Amino acid sequence: QVQLMESGPGLVQPSETLSLTCTVSGFSLTIYNVHWLRQPPGKGLEWMGVMWSGGGTDYNSTLKSRLSISRDTSKNQVFLEMNSLQGEDTTTYYCAREGYGGFAYWGQGTLVTVSS
Amino acid sequence: EIVLTQSPATIAASPGDKVTITCRASSSVSYMYWYQQKSGASPKLWIYDTFKLPPGVPNRFSGSGSGTSYSLTINTMETEDAATYYCQQWSSTPWTFGGGTKLELK
């Protein structure tokens, strides 16, 4: 079945770079688009960017200067890198796959805290 | 950016109640999507293409709307429906979500 799992450091120092991995199973990254989203504690959802099945990317303009999404199809992994982290980047990060026209499959999320 | 405004922000309902959550878009969107999120869990796609239910979603849920005004309705509230619901649009990037409506048990 379709599964996505985020992994990465739970704690990042201010001004440093966050690196997250989304490992997927049950589908091909060359057929389905995978998105990154985030949700601050107790708050709403923000779409960050997408790795298109064809290999291209798109980013939320509010994050575009700091964000990079890439993939390794041989390892079934999608990567997120975001630099210059600050306290407001403390949030749960999700990867999600499209389905039924929406974000139909989600990872369990990974909480990242930005703190010294 | 299309801003989605949900109302109410919080609502309390008793089992058997009819519940309606609205989502207004700052510009017209073609379809609306709704997600259910329970505490500590990932969101789940709950309604797609404005009114369609993914497998497993009870048919007491329904969606409607067009243009800039959409709604999610629960025909008869059940205890398991207590959660936060978010609307989301795909019509224009960046794809955006509403601020959420927290549905509590009365």
Side-chain angles (χ1 to χ4, degrees):
Chain A
Q1 74 272 29
V2 174
Q3 290 186 323
L4 302 94
M5 181 178 296
E6 306 88 351
S7 59
L11 181 66
V12 177
Q13 304 274 343
S15 79
E16 292 198 341
T17 296
L18 172 65
S19 296
L20 297 176
T21 299
C22 175
T23 302
V24 309
S25 59
F27 67 95
S28 171
L29 292 176
T30 61
I31 296 177
Y32 290 95
N33 307 321
V34 171
H35 300 253
W36 285 97
L37 304 99
R38 67 180 184 173
Q39 184 174 35
K43 296 190 176 180
L45 294 153
E46 179 183 31
W47 175 77
M48 301 179 70
V50 58
M51 170 58 72
W52 298 112
S53 58
T57 54
D58 269 313
Y59 302 110
N60 190 322
S61 57
T62 62
L63 299 170
K64 191 173 184 176
S65 63
R66 301 197 288 140
L67 185 60
S68 177
I69 297 174
S70 59
R71 71 181 183 184
D72 183 333
T73 56
S74 68
K75 294 183 178 179
N76 294 318
Q77 292 179 326
V78 180
F79 308 105
L80 176 147
E81 281 201 345
M82 189 164 67
N83 59 33
S84 306
L85 258 63
Q86 300 300 325
E88 56 265 31
D89 297 312
T90 292
T91 181
T92 296
Y93 291 81
Y94 296 99
C95 57
R97 199 207 88 175
E98 292 179 25
Y100 301 101
F103 300 115
Y105 303 93
W106 295 69
Q108 84 284 358
T110 185
L111 175 62
V112 175
T113 300
V114 181
S115 177
S116 54
Chain B
E1 172 177 321
I2 295 179
V3 176
L4 301 180
T5 303
Q6 289 184 233
S7 60
T10 306
I11 184 171
S14 300
D17 285 351
K18 183 174 184 176
V19 177
T20 298
I21 298 168
T22 64
C23 179
R24 286 192 163 76
S26 58
S27 299
S28 181
V29 299
S30 300
Y31 299 98
M32 193 59 73
Y33 298 77
W34 295 87
Y35 298 82
Q36 181 197 68
Q37 186 177 34
K38 295 191 175 181
S39 182
S42 304
K44 294 180 179 180
L45 180 64
W46 216 242
I47 294 175
Y48 68 101
D49 290 355
T50 300
F51 60 88
K52 298 175 183 177
L53 303 184
V57 175
N59 60 12
R60 62 181 176 274
F61 285 86
S62 63
S64 65
S66 65
T68 61
S69 184
Y70 292 83
S71 62
L72 176 156
T73 298
I74 307 172
N75 198 38
T76 51
M77 170 80 177
E78 295 197 9
T79 56
E80 65 186 32
D81 300 337
T84 300
Y85 294 85
Y86 295 94
C87 57
Q88 180 247 326
Q89 63 83 21
W90 279 104
S91 291
S92 170
T93 59
W95 297 294
T96 50
F97 292 81
T101 294
K102 186 173 185 179
L103 174 57
E104 299 175 331
L105 276 175
K106 192 184 291 182

